[in-house]
Amino acid sequence: MSINEKKALRNIALERDYLPSGMDEAAFSAAVAELERSGLVKAAFSEGGSVVDARLTQHGKTYLETNPELRNPLDWARIGAVAAPSRLW
């Protein structure tokens, strides 16, 4: 999840009706669209693509309850590949 998606998700969860700090309307709309594709929010968009309304889905509420800090999971496969000793024969 990107930083913009995290900011948008927090704003939606807190039912704020303004853009997150440092985010323009286009970036917010793109973040909300991605959150909707992930099933975390349900959103309504205007014909121009701006967000008209957005609400958390049950999946979004559960996600925030289990991951309140919105930390991305570690990629253990990548960590293992980097940490594994290489064989240079």
Side-chain angles (χ1 to χ4, degrees), residues 15-26:
E15 298 181 1
R16 294 179 176 161
D17 59 353
Y18 54 87
L19 294 174
S21 63
M23 193 181 306
D24 63 15
E25 192 170 331

Side-chain angles (χ1 to χ4, degrees), residues 2 4-5 8 23-37 45 49-51:
S2 73
N4 282 349
E5 290 166 19
M23 193 181 306
D24 63 15
E25 192 170 331
F28 180 72
S29 296
V32 171
E34 186 57 37
L35 291 169
E36 187 171 43
R37 281 189 286 278
F45 297 90
S50 297
V51 176

